[in-house]
PDB file of all heavy atoms in Angstrom:
ATOM      1  N   GLY A   1     -46.962 -53.445  31.087  1.00  0.00           N
ATOM      2  CA  GLY A   1     -47.820 -53.086  32.211  1.00  0.00           C
ATOM      3  C   GLY A   1     -47.007 -52.771  33.450  1.00  0.00           C
ATOM      4  O   GLY A   1     -45.794 -53.001  33.525  1.00  0.00           O
ATOM      5  N   ARG A   2     -47.703 -52.241  34.447  1.00  0.00           N
ATOM      6  CA  ARG A   2     -47.021 -51.783  35.653  1.00  0.00           C
ATOM      7  C   ARG A   2     -46.528 -52.938  36.526  1.00  0.00           C
ATOM      8  O   ARG A   2     -45.454 -52.852  37.132  1.00  0.00           O
ATOM      9  CB  ARG A   2     -47.976 -50.902  36.467  1.00  0.00           C
ATOM     10  CG  ARG A   2     -48.340 -49.598  35.774  1.00  0.00           C
ATOM     11  CD  ARG A   2     -49.288 -48.781  36.635  1.00  0.00           C
ATOM     12  NE  ARG A   2     -49.656 -47.533  35.974  1.00  0.00           N
ATOM     13  CZ  ARG A   2     -50.493 -46.640  36.498  1.00  0.00           C
ATOM     14  NH1 ARG A   2     -51.050 -46.884  37.682  1.00  0.00           N
ATOM     15  NH2 ARG A   2     -50.775 -45.527  35.839  1.00  0.00           N
ATOM     16  N   GLN A   3     -47.315 -54.008  36.596  1.00  0.00           N
ATOM     17  CA  GLN A   3     -46.931 -55.094  37.498  1.00  0.00           C
ATOM     18  C   GLN A   3     -45.604 -55.748  37.108  1.00  0.00           C
ATOM     19  O   GLN A   3     -44.727 -55.920  37.969  1.00  0.00           O
ATOM     20  CB  GLN A   3     -48.040 -56.135  37.579  1.00  0.00           C
ATOM     21  CG  GLN A   3     -47.763 -57.206  38.636  1.00  0.00           C
ATOM     22  CD  GLN A   3     -48.833 -58.273  38.647  1.00  0.00           C
ATOM     23  OE1 GLN A   3     -49.071 -58.910  37.630  1.00  0.00           O
ATOM     24  NE2 GLN A   3     -49.489 -58.459  39.774  1.00  0.00           N
ATOM     25  N   PRO A   4     -45.388 -56.142  35.835  1.00  0.00           N
ATOM     26  CA  PRO A   4     -44.083 -56.715  35.487  1.00  0.00           C
ATOM     27  C   PRO A   4     -42.918 -55.772  35.762  1.00  0.00           C
ATOM     28  O   PRO A   4     -41.855 -56.204  36.219  1.00  0.00           O
ATOM     29  CB  PRO A   4     -44.227 -57.009  33.982  1.00  0.00           C
ATOM     30  CG  PRO A   4     -45.690 -57.159  33.763  1.00  0.00           C
ATOM     31  CD  PRO A   4     -46.326 -56.190  34.702  1.00  0.00           C
ATOM     32  N   TRP A   5     -43.122 -54.472  35.507  1.00  0.00           N
ATOM     33  CA  TRP A   5     -42.063 -53.510  35.793  1.00  0.00           C
ATOM     34  C   TRP A   5     -41.802 -53.419  37.294  1.00  0.00           C
ATOM     35  O   TRP A   5     -40.647 -53.310  37.734  1.00  0.00           O
ATOM     36  CB  TRP A   5     -42.433 -52.132  35.242  1.00  0.00           C
ATOM     37  CG  TRP A   5     -42.097 -51.967  33.796  1.00  0.00           C
ATOM     38  CD1 TRP A   5     -42.949 -51.956  32.745  1.00  0.00           C
ATOM     39  CD2 TRP A   5     -40.787 -51.794  33.249  1.00  0.00           C
ATOM     40  NE1 TRP A   5     -42.267 -51.799  31.555  1.00  0.00           N
ATOM     41  CE2 TRP A   5     -40.943 -51.685  31.840  1.00  0.00           C
ATOM     42  CE3 TRP A   5     -39.507 -51.723  33.791  1.00  0.00           C
ATOM     43  CZ2 TRP A   5     -39.858 -51.513  30.979  1.00  0.00           C
ATOM     44  CZ3 TRP A   5     -38.425 -51.550  32.929  1.00  0.00           C
ATOM     45  CH2 TRP A   5     -38.602 -51.446  31.546  1.00  0.00           C
ATOM     46  N   ALA A   6     -42.851 -53.452  38.089  1.00  0.00           N
ATOM     47  CA  ALA A   6     -42.680 -53.395  39.536  1.00  0.00           C
ATOM     48  C   ALA A   6     -41.921 -54.613  40.043  1.00  0.00           C
ATOM     49  O   ALA A   6     -41.029 -54.504  40.900  1.00  0.00           O
ATOM     50  CB  ALA A   6     -44.044 -53.290  40.226  1.00  0.00           C
ATOM     51  N   VAL A   7     -42.267 -55.796  39.511  1.00  0.00           N
ATOM     52  CA  VAL A   7     -41.572 -57.017  39.918  1.00  0.00           C
ATOM     53  C   VAL A   7     -40.095 -56.948  39.520  1.00  0.00           C
ATOM     54  O   VAL A   7     -39.203 -57.260  40.326  1.00  0.00           O
ATOM     55  CB  VAL A   7     -42.237 -58.254  39.288  1.00  0.00           C
ATOM     56  CG1 VAL A   7     -41.390 -59.499  39.529  1.00  0.00           C
ATOM     57  CG2 VAL A   7     -43.631 -58.454  39.864  1.00  0.00           C
ATOM     58  N   ALA A   8     -39.823 -56.541  38.280  1.00  0.00           N
ATOM     59  CA  ALA A   8     -38.435 -56.468  37.803  1.00  0.00           C
ATOM     60  C   ALA A   8     -37.614 -55.467  38.621  1.00  0.00           C
ATOM     61  O   ALA A   8     -36.482 -55.762  39.041  1.00  0.00           O
ATOM     62  CB  ALA A   8     -38.420 -56.080  36.324  1.00  0.00           C
ATOM     63  N   ALA A   9     -38.194 -54.294  38.873  1.00  0.00           N
ATOM     64  CA  ALA A   9     -37.461 -53.276  39.634  1.00  0.00           C
ATOM     65  C   ALA A   9     -37.238 -53.720  41.069  1.00  0.00           C
ATOM     66  O   ALA A   9     -36.136 -53.566  41.626  1.00  0.00           O
ATOM     67  CB  ALA A   9     -38.234 -51.955  39.599  1.00  0.00           C
ATOM     68  N   GLY A  10     -38.280 -54.287  41.679  1.00  0.00           N
ATOM     69  CA  GLY A  10     -38.135 -54.749  43.058  1.00  0.00           C
ATOM     70  C   GLY A  10     -37.103 -55.852  43.195  1.00  0.00           C
ATOM     71  O   GLY A  10     -36.287 -55.848  44.123  1.00  0.00           O
ATOM     72  N   ALA A  11     -37.125 -56.813  42.272  1.00  0.00           N
ATOM     73  CA  ALA A  11     -36.153 -57.909  42.311  1.00  0.00           C
ATOM     74  C   ALA A  11     -34.730 -57.392  42.122  1.00  0.00           C
ATOM     75  O   ALA A  11     -33.798 -57.851  42.799  1.00  0.00           O
ATOM     76  CB  ALA A  11     -36.491 -58.939  41.241  1.00  0.00           C
ATOM     77  N   ALA A  12     -34.557 -56.436  41.210  1.00  0.00           N
ATOM     78  CA  ALA A  12     -33.221 -55.881  40.967  1.00  0.00           C
ATOM     79  C   ALA A  12     -32.696 -55.156  42.201  1.00  0.00           C
ATOM     80  O   ALA A  12     -31.518 -55.293  42.572  1.00  0.00           O
ATOM     81  CB  ALA A  12     -33.266 -54.933  39.775  1.00  0.00           C
ATOM     82  N   VAL A  13     -33.555 -54.380  42.855  1.00  0.00           N
ATOM     83  CA  VAL A  13     -33.134 -53.651  44.048  1.00  0.00           C
ATOM     84  C   VAL A  13     -32.758 -54.618  45.174  1.00  0.00           C
ATOM     85  O   VAL A  13     -31.719 -54.463  45.833  1.00  0.00           O
ATOM     86  CB  VAL A  13     -34.254 -52.699  44.512  1.00  0.00           C
ATOM     87  CG1 VAL A  13     -33.939 -52.134  45.894  1.00  0.00           C
ATOM     88  CG2 VAL A  13     -34.428 -51.565  43.515  1.00  0.00           C
ATOM     89  N   VAL A  14     -33.590 -55.633  45.390  1.00  0.00           N
ATOM     90  CA  VAL A  14     -33.309 -56.611  46.449  1.00  0.00           C
ATOM     91  C   VAL A  14     -31.983 -57.324  46.187  1.00  0.00           C
ATOM     92  O   VAL A  14     -31.144 -57.473  47.093  1.00  0.00           O
ATOM     93  CB  VAL A  14     -34.462 -57.631  46.552  1.00  0.00           C
ATOM     94  CG1 VAL A  14     -34.064 -58.816  47.427  1.00  0.00           C
ATOM     95  CG2 VAL A  14     -35.707 -56.962  47.099  1.00  0.00           C
ATOM     96  N   ALA A  15     -31.771 -57.779  44.952  1.00  0.00           N
ATOM     97  CA  ALA A  15     -30.522 -58.481  44.630  1.00  0.00           C
ATOM     98  C   ALA A  15     -29.310 -57.576  44.795  1.00  0.00           C
ATOM     99  O   ALA A  15     -28.277 -57.992  45.335  1.00  0.00           O
ATOM    100  CB  ALA A  15     -30.594 -59.022  43.208  1.00  0.00           C
ATOM    101  N   ALA A  16     -29.420 -56.319  44.341  1.00  0.00           N
ATOM    102  CA  ALA A  16     -28.290 -55.393  44.432  1.00  0.00           C
ATOM    103  C   ALA A  16     -27.935 -55.071  45.881  1.00  0.00           C
ATOM    104  O   ALA A  16     -26.752 -54.962  46.239  1.00  0.00           O
ATOM    105  CB  ALA A  16     -28.617 -54.107  43.672  1.00  0.00           C
ATOM    106  N   LEU A  17     -28.953 -54.937  46.738  1.00  0.00           N
ATOM    107  CA  LEU A  17     -28.697 -54.607  48.138  1.00  0.00           C
ATOM    108  C   LEU A  17     -28.098 -55.779  48.910  1.00  0.00           C
ATOM    109  O   LEU A  17     -27.254 -55.586  49.798  1.00  0.00           O
ATOM    110  CB  LEU A  17     -30.001 -54.160  48.814  1.00  0.00           C
ATOM    111  CG  LEU A  17     -30.569 -52.807  48.374  1.00  0.00           C
ATOM    112  CD1 LEU A  17     -31.910 -52.550  49.055  1.00  0.00           C
ATOM    113  CD2 LEU A  17     -29.591 -51.681  48.687  1.00  0.00           C
ATOM    114  N   LEU A  18     -28.518 -56.997  48.570  1.00  0.00           N
ATOM    115  CA  LEU A  18     -28.078 -58.158  49.340  1.00  0.00           C
ATOM    116  C   LEU A  18     -26.759 -58.759  48.861  1.00  0.00           C
ATOM    117  O   LEU A  18     -26.059 -59.399  49.640  1.00  0.00           O
ATOM    118  CB  LEU A  18     -29.166 -59.239  49.304  1.00  0.00           C
ATOM    119  CG  LEU A  18     -30.501 -58.894  49.962  1.00  0.00           C
ATOM    120  CD1 LEU A  18     -31.453 -60.079  49.875  1.00  0.00           C
ATOM    121  CD2 LEU A  18     -30.309 -58.478  51.413  1.00  0.00           C
ATOM    122  N   THR A  19     -26.436 -58.564  47.578  1.00  0.00           N
ATOM    123  CA  THR A  19     -25.245 -59.220  47.011  1.00  0.00           C
ATOM    124  C   THR A  19     -23.959 -58.927  47.778  1.00  0.00           C
ATOM    125  O   THR A  19     -23.153 -59.847  48.011  1.00  0.00           O
ATOM    126  CB  THR A  19     -25.088 -58.837  45.528  1.00  0.00           C
ATOM    127  OG1 THR A  19     -26.213 -59.346  44.796  1.00  0.00           O
ATOM    128  CG2 THR A  19     -23.799 -59.403  44.946  1.00  0.00           C
ATOM    129  N   PRO A  20     -23.687 -57.678  48.214  1.00  0.00           N
ATOM    130  CA  PRO A  20     -22.413 -57.445  48.928  1.00  0.00           C
ATOM    131  C   PRO A  20     -22.351 -58.097  50.305  1.00  0.00           C
ATOM    132  O   PRO A  20     -21.262 -58.237  50.868  1.00  0.00           O
ATOM    133  CB  PRO A  20     -22.368 -55.915  49.061  1.00  0.00           C
ATOM    134  CG  PRO A  20     -23.341 -55.384  48.068  1.00  0.00           C
ATOM    135  CD  PRO A  20     -24.415 -56.425  47.979  1.00  0.00           C
ATOM    136  N   TRP A  21     -23.491 -58.498  50.858  1.00  0.00           N
ATOM    137  CA  TRP A  21     -23.510 -58.937  52.246  1.00  0.00           C
ATOM    138  C   TRP A  21     -23.766 -60.429  52.436  1.00  0.00           C
ATOM    139  O   TRP A  21     -23.415 -60.978  53.493  1.00  0.00           O
ATOM    140  CB  TRP A  21     -24.597 -58.160  53.012  1.00  0.00           C
ATOM    141  CG  TRP A  21     -24.476 -56.678  52.845  1.00  0.00           C
ATOM    142  CD1 TRP A  21     -25.224 -55.872  52.050  1.00  0.00           C
ATOM    143  CD2 TRP A  21     -23.508 -55.822  53.468  1.00  0.00           C
ATOM    144  NE1 TRP A  21     -24.804 -54.572  52.133  1.00  0.00           N
ATOM    145  CE2 TRP A  21     -23.747 -54.507  53.006  1.00  0.00           C
ATOM    146  CE3 TRP A  21     -22.474 -56.037  54.383  1.00  0.00           C
ATOM    147  CZ2 TRP A  21     -22.992 -53.424  53.412  1.00  0.00           C
ATOM    148  CZ3 TRP A  21     -21.710 -54.951  54.790  1.00  0.00           C
ATOM    149  CH2 TRP A  21     -21.980 -53.669  54.307  1.00  0.00           C
ATOM    150  N   LEU A  22     -24.358 -61.071  51.469  1.00  0.00           N
ATOM    151  CA  LEU A  22     -24.737 -62.469  51.642  1.00  0.00           C
ATOM    152  C   LEU A  22     -23.961 -63.374  50.704  1.00  0.00           C
ATOM    153  O   LEU A  22     -23.435 -62.917  49.674  1.00  0.00           O
ATOM    154  CB  LEU A  22     -26.242 -62.647  51.402  1.00  0.00           C
ATOM    155  CG  LEU A  22     -27.168 -61.862  52.340  1.00  0.00           C
ATOM    156  CD1 LEU A  22     -28.623 -62.096  51.961  1.00  0.00           C
ATOM    157  CD2 LEU A  22     -26.916 -62.247  53.790  1.00  0.00           C
ATOM    158  N   MET A  23     -23.900 -64.658  51.039  1.00  0.00           N
ATOM    159  CA  MET A  23     -23.192 -65.613  50.211  1.00  0.00           C
ATOM    160  C   MET A  23     -23.924 -65.818  48.889  1.00  0.00           C
ATOM    161  O   MET A  23     -25.138 -65.588  48.798  1.00  0.00           O
ATOM    162  CB  MET A  23     -23.034 -66.956  50.933  1.00  0.00           C
ATOM    163  CG  MET A  23     -24.334 -67.679  51.218  1.00  0.00           C
ATOM    164  SD  MET A  23     -24.094 -69.153  52.242  1.00  0.00           S
ATOM    165  CE  MET A  23     -23.035 -70.128  51.173  1.00  0.00           C
ATOM    166  N   PRO A  24     -23.207 -66.213  47.837  1.00  0.00           N
ATOM    167  CA  PRO A  24     -23.841 -66.388  46.526  1.00  0.00           C
ATOM    168  C   PRO A  24     -25.023 -67.341  46.597  1.00  0.00           C
ATOM    169  O   PRO A  24     -24.984 -68.357  47.277  1.00  0.00           O
ATOM    170  CB  PRO A  24     -22.708 -66.981  45.667  1.00  0.00           C
ATOM    171  CG  PRO A  24     -21.455 -66.505  46.317  1.00  0.00           C
ATOM    172  CD  PRO A  24     -21.765 -66.485  47.792  1.00  0.00           C
ATOM    173  N   GLY A  25     -26.076 -67.002  45.887  1.00  0.00           N
ATOM    174  CA  GLY A  25     -27.263 -67.832  45.854  1.00  0.00           C
ATOM    175  C   GLY A  25     -28.423 -67.231  46.620  1.00  0.00           C
ATOM    176  O   GLY A  25     -29.551 -67.200  46.140  1.00  0.00           O
ATOM    177  N   ILE A  26     -28.143 -66.698  47.817  1.00  0.00           N
ATOM    178  CA  ILE A  26     -29.217 -66.140  48.639  1.00  0.00           C
ATOM    179  C   ILE A  26     -29.843 -64.898  48.002  1.00  0.00           C
ATOM    180  O   ILE A  26     -31.077 -64.766  47.994  1.00  0.00           O
ATOM    181  CB  ILE A  26     -28.711 -65.853  50.065  1.00  0.00           C
ATOM    182  CG1 ILE A  26     -28.336 -67.170  50.748  1.00  0.00           C
ATOM    183  CG2 ILE A  26     -29.776 -65.117  50.879  1.00  0.00           C
ATOM    184  CD1 ILE A  26     -27.812 -67.012  52.158  1.00  0.00           C
ATOM    185  N   PRO A  27     -29.065 -63.939  47.452  1.00  0.00           N
ATOM    186  CA  PRO A  27     -29.710 -62.785  46.802  1.00  0.00           C
ATOM    187  C   PRO A  27     -30.620 -63.182  45.643  1.00  0.00           C
ATOM    188  O   PRO A  27     -31.663 -62.552  45.418  1.00  0.00           O
ATOM    189  CB  PRO A  27     -28.519 -61.946  46.317  1.00  0.00           C
ATOM    190  CG  PRO A  27     -27.409 -62.300  47.240  1.00  0.00           C
ATOM    191  CD  PRO A  27     -27.591 -63.761  47.520  1.00  0.00           C
ATOM    192  N   VAL A  28     -30.243 -64.233  44.897  1.00  0.00           N
ATOM    193  CA  VAL A  28     -31.077 -64.685  43.781  1.00  0.00           C
ATOM    194  C   VAL A  28     -32.423 -65.199  44.289  1.00  0.00           C
ATOM    195  O   VAL A  28     -33.488 -64.867  43.755  1.00  0.00           O
ATOM    196  CB  VAL A  28     -30.355 -65.786  42.977  1.00  0.00           C
ATOM    197  CG1 VAL A  28     -31.264 -66.350  41.896  1.00  0.00           C
ATOM    198  CG2 VAL A  28     -29.075 -65.237  42.368  1.00  0.00           C
ATOM    199  N   ILE A  29     -32.381 -66.014  45.354  1.00  0.00           N
ATOM    200  CA  ILE A  29     -33.613 -66.556  45.910  1.00  0.00           C
ATOM    201  C   ILE A  29     -34.470 -65.447  46.510  1.00  0.00           C
ATOM    202  O   ILE A  29     -35.695 -65.426  46.361  1.00  0.00           O
ATOM    203  CB  ILE A  29     -33.283 -67.624  46.966  1.00  0.00           C
ATOM    204  CG1 ILE A  29     -32.530 -68.790  46.311  1.00  0.00           C
ATOM    205  CG2 ILE A  29     -34.536 -68.130  47.655  1.00  0.00           C
ATOM    206  CD1 ILE A  29     -31.991 -69.798  47.282  1.00  0.00           C
ATOM    207  N   ALA A  30     -33.827 -64.481  47.193  1.00  0.00           N
ATOM    208  CA  ALA A  30     -34.569 -63.370  47.780  1.00  0.00           C
ATOM    209  C   ALA A  30     -35.235 -62.520  46.708  1.00  0.00           C
ATOM    210  O   ALA A  30     -36.372 -62.074  46.870  1.00  0.00           O
ATOM    211  CB  ALA A  30     -33.634 -62.517  48.631  1.00  0.00           C
ATOM    212  N   ALA A  31     -34.524 -62.305  45.594  1.00  0.00           N
ATOM    213  CA  ALA A  31     -35.101 -61.526  44.500  1.00  0.00           C
ATOM    214  C   ALA A  31     -36.304 -62.237  43.903  1.00  0.00           C
ATOM    215  O   ALA A  31     -37.304 -61.604  43.549  1.00  0.00           O
ATOM    216  CB  ALA A  31     -34.041 -61.271  43.428  1.00  0.00           C
ATOM    217  N   ALA A  32     -36.212 -63.555  43.789  1.00  0.00           N
ATOM    218  CA  ALA A  32     -37.354 -64.313  43.279  1.00  0.00           C
ATOM    219  C   ALA A  32     -38.547 -64.196  44.211  1.00  0.00           C
ATOM    220  O   ALA A  32     -39.710 -64.258  43.780  1.00  0.00           O
ATOM    221  CB  ALA A  32     -36.972 -65.780  43.105  1.00  0.00           C
ATOM    222  N   GLY A  33     -38.276 -63.992  45.499  1.00  0.00           N
ATOM    223  CA  GLY A  33     -39.357 -63.825  46.461  1.00  0.00           C
ATOM    224  C   GLY A  33     -40.206 -62.600  46.197  1.00  0.00           C
ATOM    225  O   GLY A  33     -41.366 -62.542  46.630  1.00  0.00           O
ATOM    226  N   VAL A  34     -39.638 -61.616  45.492  1.00  0.00           N
ATOM    227  CA  VAL A  34     -40.415 -60.420  45.147  1.00  0.00           C
ATOM    228  C   VAL A  34     -41.603 -60.809  44.272  1.00  0.00           C
ATOM    229  O   VAL A  34     -42.735 -60.359  44.497  1.00  0.00           O
ATOM    230  CB  VAL A  34     -39.526 -59.385  44.434  1.00  0.00           C
ATOM    231  CG1 VAL A  34     -40.377 -58.213  43.928  1.00  0.00           C
ATOM    232  CG2 VAL A  34     -38.436 -58.888  45.363  1.00  0.00           C
ATOM    233  N   ALA A  35     -41.351 -61.645  43.277  1.00  0.00           N
ATOM    234  CA  ALA A  35     -42.440 -62.070  42.392  1.00  0.00           C
ATOM    235  C   ALA A  35     -43.473 -62.885  43.146  1.00  0.00           C
ATOM    236  O   ALA A  35     -44.683 -62.753  42.922  1.00  0.00           O
ATOM    237  CB  ALA A  35     -41.871 -62.887  41.234  1.00  0.00           C
ATOM    238  N   VAL A  36     -43.017 -63.730  44.078  1.00  0.00           N
ATOM    239  CA  VAL A  36     -43.947 -64.527  44.876  1.00  0.00           C
ATOM    240  C   VAL A  36     -44.827 -63.617  45.731  1.00  0.00           C
ATOM    241  O   VAL A  36     -46.049 -63.804  45.825  1.00  0.00           O
ATOM    242  CB  VAL A  36     -43.175 -65.514  45.763  1.00  0.00           C
ATOM    243  CG1 VAL A  36     -44.129 -66.259  46.693  1.00  0.00           C
ATOM    244  CG2 VAL A  36     -42.393 -66.498  44.904  1.00  0.00           C
ATOM    245  N   ALA A  37     -44.198 -62.598  46.343  1.00  0.00           N
ATOM    246  CA  ALA A  37     -44.948 -61.679  47.190  1.00  0.00           C
ATOM    247  C   ALA A  37     -45.998 -60.919  46.389  1.00  0.00           C
ATOM    248  O   ALA A  37     -47.131 -60.744  46.829  1.00  0.00           O
ATOM    249  CB  ALA A  37     -43.994 -60.710  47.881  1.00  0.00           C
ATOM    250  N   VAL A  38     -45.615 -60.480  45.195  1.00  0.00           N
ATOM    251  CA  VAL A  38     -46.567 -59.750  44.356  1.00  0.00           C
ATOM    252  C   VAL A  38     -47.728 -60.653  43.966  1.00  0.00           C
ATOM    253  O   VAL A  38     -48.893 -60.244  43.960  1.00  0.00           O
ATOM    254  CB  VAL A  38     -45.869 -59.191  43.104  1.00  0.00           C
ATOM    255  CG1 VAL A  38     -46.891 -58.630  42.120  1.00  0.00           C
ATOM    256  CG2 VAL A  38     -44.880 -58.103  43.496  1.00  0.00           C
ATOM    257  N   GLY A  39     -47.416 -61.917  43.644  1.00  0.00           N
ATOM    258  CA  GLY A  39     -48.476 -62.841  43.266  1.00  0.00           C
ATOM    259  C   GLY A  39     -49.437 -63.146  44.402  1.00  0.00           C
ATOM    260  O   GLY A  39     -50.636 -63.299  44.198  1.00  0.00           O
ATOM    261  N   LEU A  40     -48.889 -63.192  45.646  1.00  0.00           N
ATOM    262  CA  LEU A  40     -49.735 -63.530  46.790  1.00  0.00           C
ATOM    263  C   LEU A  40     -50.565 -62.351  47.284  1.00  0.00           C
ATOM    264  O   LEU A  40     -51.693 -62.523  47.758  1.00  0.00           O
ATOM    265  CB  LEU A  40     -48.859 -64.044  47.938  1.00  0.00           C
ATOM    266  CG  LEU A  40     -48.218 -65.424  47.745  1.00  0.00           C
ATOM    267  CD1 LEU A  40     -47.301 -65.740  48.918  1.00  0.00           C
ATOM    268  CD2 LEU A  40     -49.294 -66.499  47.616  1.00  0.00           C
ATOM    269  N   PHE A  41     -50.014 -61.148  47.157  1.00  0.00           N
ATOM    270  CA  PHE A  41     -50.661 -59.988  47.770  1.00  0.00           C
ATOM    271  C   PHE A  41     -51.108 -58.939  46.761  1.00  0.00           C
ATOM    272  O   PHE A  41     -51.358 -57.800  47.117  1.00  0.00           O
ATOM    273  CB  PHE A  41     -49.706 -59.344  48.783  1.00  0.00           C
ATOM    274  CG  PHE A  41     -49.258 -60.280  49.859  1.00  0.00           C
ATOM    275  CD1 PHE A  41     -47.961 -60.778  49.865  1.00  0.00           C
ATOM    276  CD2 PHE A  41     -50.122 -60.699  50.847  1.00  0.00           C
ATOM    277  CE1 PHE A  41     -47.537 -61.654  50.858  1.00  0.00           C
ATOM    278  CE2 PHE A  41     -49.708 -61.578  51.847  1.00  0.00           C
ATOM    279  CZ  PHE A  41     -48.423 -62.056  51.848  1.00  0.00           C
ATOM    280  N   ASP A  42     -51.202 -59.321  45.495  1.00  0.00           N
ATOM    281  CA  ASP A  42     -51.654 -58.382  44.478  1.00  0.00           C
ATOM    282  C   ASP A  42     -53.100 -57.981  44.772  1.00  0.00           C
ATOM    283  O   ASP A  42     -54.011 -58.817  44.718  1.00  0.00           O
ATOM    284  CB  ASP A  42     -51.553 -59.045  43.093  1.00  0.00           C
ATOM    285  CG  ASP A  42     -51.921 -58.075  41.976  1.00  0.00           C
ATOM    286  OD1 ASP A  42     -52.269 -56.920  42.283  1.00  0.00           O
ATOM    287  OD2 ASP A  42     -51.861 -58.483  40.806  1.00  0.00           O
ATOM    288  N   PRO A  43     -53.354 -56.707  45.072  1.00  0.00           N
ATOM    289  CA  PRO A  43     -54.723 -56.307  45.415  1.00  0.00           C
ATOM    290  C   PRO A  43     -55.684 -56.390  44.239  1.00  0.00           C
ATOM    291  O   PRO A  43     -56.894 -56.407  44.426  1.00  0.00           O
ATOM    292  CB  PRO A  43     -54.552 -54.848  45.882  1.00  0.00           C
ATOM    293  CG  PRO A  43     -53.304 -54.387  45.207  1.00  0.00           C
ATOM    294  CD  PRO A  43     -52.413 -55.601  45.143  1.00  0.00           C
ATOM    295  N   ARG A  44     -55.154 -56.447  43.018  1.00  0.00           N
ATOM    296  CA  ARG A  44     -56.026 -56.505  41.846  1.00  0.00           C
ATOM    297  C   ARG A  44     -56.486 -57.915  41.541  1.00  0.00           C
ATOM    298  O   ARG A  44     -57.371 -58.128  40.715  1.00  0.00           O
ATOM    299  CB  ARG A  44     -55.299 -55.947  40.611  1.00  0.00           C
ATOM    300  CG  ARG A  44     -54.906 -54.500  40.739  1.00  0.00           C
ATOM    301  CD  ARG A  44     -54.118 -54.061  39.524  1.00  0.00           C
ATOM    302  NE  ARG A  44     -52.901 -54.865  39.382  1.00  0.00           N
ATOM    303  CZ  ARG A  44     -52.105 -54.797  38.319  1.00  0.00           C
ATOM    304  NH1 ARG A  44     -52.404 -54.003  37.309  1.00  0.00           N
ATOM    305  NH2 ARG A  44     -51.021 -55.540  38.266  1.00  0.00           N
ATOM    306  N   ARG A  45     -55.887 -58.922  42.191  1.00  0.00           N
ATOM    307  CA  ARG A  45     -56.255 -60.302  41.925  1.00  0.00           C
ATOM    308  C   ARG A  45     -57.629 -60.590  42.521  1.00  0.00           C
ATOM    309  O   ARG A  45     -57.856 -60.317  43.703  1.00  0.00           O
ATOM    310  CB  ARG A  45     -55.223 -61.256  42.528  1.00  0.00           C
ATOM    311  CG  ARG A  45     -55.455 -62.708  42.144  1.00  0.00           C
ATOM    312  CD  ARG A  45     -54.392 -63.588  42.753  1.00  0.00           C
ATOM    313  NE  ARG A  45     -54.437 -63.521  44.205  1.00  0.00           N
ATOM    314  CZ  ARG A  45     -53.655 -64.254  44.990  1.00  0.00           C
ATOM    315  NH1 ARG A  45     -52.774 -65.066  44.461  1.00  0.00           N
ATOM    316  NH2 ARG A  45     -53.733 -64.138  46.305  1.00  0.00           N
ATOM    317  N   PRO A  46     -58.561 -61.138  41.738  1.00  0.00           N
ATOM    318  CA  PRO A  46     -59.881 -61.442  42.287  1.00  0.00           C
ATOM    319  C   PRO A  46     -59.798 -62.515  43.351  1.00  0.00           C
ATOM    320  O   PRO A  46     -58.999 -63.445  43.258  1.00  0.00           O
ATOM    321  CB  PRO A  46     -60.673 -61.922  41.068  1.00  0.00           C
ATOM    322  CG  PRO A  46     -59.640 -62.391  40.102  1.00  0.00           C
ATOM    323  CD  PRO A  46     -58.444 -61.502  40.326  1.00  0.00           C
TER     324      PRO A  46
END
């Protein structure tokens, strides 16, 4: 489905962009935040 692909792609982009600039650990947590954001603001969720 589209939602898992969107979460995976968004998390990968966030981690790739942040890894060169932030200390280890922070990009992983930020990438996980993508899934949290999708879960909280998914317009399809009743």
Side-chain angles (χ1 to χ4, degrees):
R2 294 180 181 179
Q3 187 183 58
W5 276 106
V7 171
V13 169
V14 168
L17 290 176
L18 296 182
T19 296
W21 308 103
L22 299 178
M23 65 187 298
I26 295 180
V28 175
I29 298 172
V34 173
V36 175
V38 171
L40 289 176
F41 302 107
D42 184 359
R44 298 176 300 172
R45 187 179 62 176

